[in-house]
Amino acid sequence: MREIPIVVNTPVWDVHGDDSTWPTTPEPSDRVPDPSTAGERIAVVARGLHARGWMSGTAGNVSERHSDHAVITPSGLPKGELRATDMVTIAIADSIPLHDNSLRPSAQAYIHTAIYRACGADAVVHAHPPHATALSVHELAAEVSTIRFAGYELIKALGGNRSGVVDIPAFPNHADVWRIGAEVETYLAAHPDAPPVLFIMGHGITAWGTSLAQAQDRAEGLEALCELTSLTGRRQIAVSDN
């Protein structure tokens, strides 16, 4: 199978290590968003998805873009208890936090910023809904692939350019999250018509849009589509012209 080339900068910090050394914190600028506003919107979405079982415990993450920065959920805090002041502000260019505090950004920050750089989206939601996650388990592979759905009305809810058929990219769940981010950015740059949703194999889904509401709607649409396919046993169905 063809391997997609990856070009990345060496990560400046490792979200998996407990002894990571954070880079020097830059001076705040006027463009850094007010976390009490973006943070509250993010907290509301995270708490709602936690209540639905899509962000159990500390799993899942949400972010909102503001110019060249993004506000994102922190690592290690229960999503059902998040407050507006719990969020972390990061630079979109390199995922580096812009404030020196005890909270780290979500480990998935590399994926969020890759999407922002590649697509110009304004919000990203990553969750673990059961049907979509279960479907992705059947697609485990060592490299990027796509999962095709066809004929379902719900395809329209995903926001892609083709209403009757959609090829959703699925990415290997690398232990080094920056590798997933690099593959996501490479794929989206090469496929500008890709739908604004993706699978991470055996892990969950990510959706994005021009607002948190739109990103969440698309995540819900993908989960509903996966539930339908689990009930019918078919990802592609014929649709009559009449």
Side-chain angles (χ1 to χ4, degrees):
M1 299 179 67
R2 182 175 63 89
E3 181 176 354
I4 295 179
I6 304 172
V7 179
V8 299
N9 294 322
T10 302
V12 295
W13 50 275
D14 179 5
V15 295
H16 291 281
D18 294 330
D19 299 319
S20 300
T21 300
W22 293 92
T24 302
T25 303
E27 290 296 324
S29 73
D30 292 337
R31 291 176 294 176
V32 176
D34 177 4
S36 65
T37 300
E40 184 54 42
R41 289 192 292 270
I42 292 170
V44 168
V45 171
R47 292 195 299 262
L49 293 177
H50 173 272
R52 297 171 68 171
W54 292 18
M55 290 188 176
S56 301
T58 63
N61 36 83
V62 182
S63 72
E64 186 177 274
R65 178 179 186 163
H66 294 261
S67 184
D68 55 359
H69 303 84
V71 178
I72 190 168
T73 47
S75 177
L77 292 187
K79 297 305 182 290
E81 302 174 10
L82 285 183
R83 302 168 299 176
T85 54
D86 290 329
M87 308 307 161
V88 181
T89 301
I90 59 175
I92 289 173
D94 52 20
S95 306
I96 296 177
L98 300 180
H99 300 291
D100 187 12
N101 58 37
S102 60
L103 296 175
R104 297 181 180 183
S106 166
Q108 300 282 325
Y110 288 116
I111 299 173
H112 289 241
T113 55
I115 291 169
Y116 289 136
R117 290 191 299 269
C119 299
D122 291 312
V124 177
V125 171
H126 170 75
H128 307 147
H131 294 94
T133 304
L135 185 150
S136 74
V137 170
H138 299 293
E139 300 298 325
L140 296 178
E143 55 189 60
V144 181
S145 62
T146 58
I147 301 174
R148 171 165 286 193
F149 299 87
Y152 287 97
E153 183 71 14
L154 270 169
I155 291 173
K156 296 177 180 178
L158 303 182
N161 294 325
R162 301 166 65 189
S163 60
V165 61
V166 64
D167 295 308
I168 301 177
F171 297 86
N173 186 29
H174 301 300
D176 294 320
V177 183
W178 65 267
R179 289 186 60 194
I180 306 176
E183 290 184 345
V184 167
E185 187 168 5
T186 298
Y187 183 90
L188 294 178
H191 301 83
D193 293 332
V197 291
L198 61 82
F199 292 97
I200 300 177
M201 302 170 189
H203 181 146
I205 64 171
T206 301
W208 56 95
T210 59
S211 66
L212 283 170
Q214 186 179 67
Q216 181 174 335
D217 284 346
R218 288 170 173 172
E220 292 173 350
L222 180 53
E223 169 65 359
L225 181 60
C226 292
E227 182 176 10
L228 274 177
T229 62
S230 71
L231 292 172
T232 63
R234 300 171 63 187
R235 296 182 196 167
Q236 302 183 51
I237 59 174
V239 178
S240 172
D241 293 333
N242 299 322

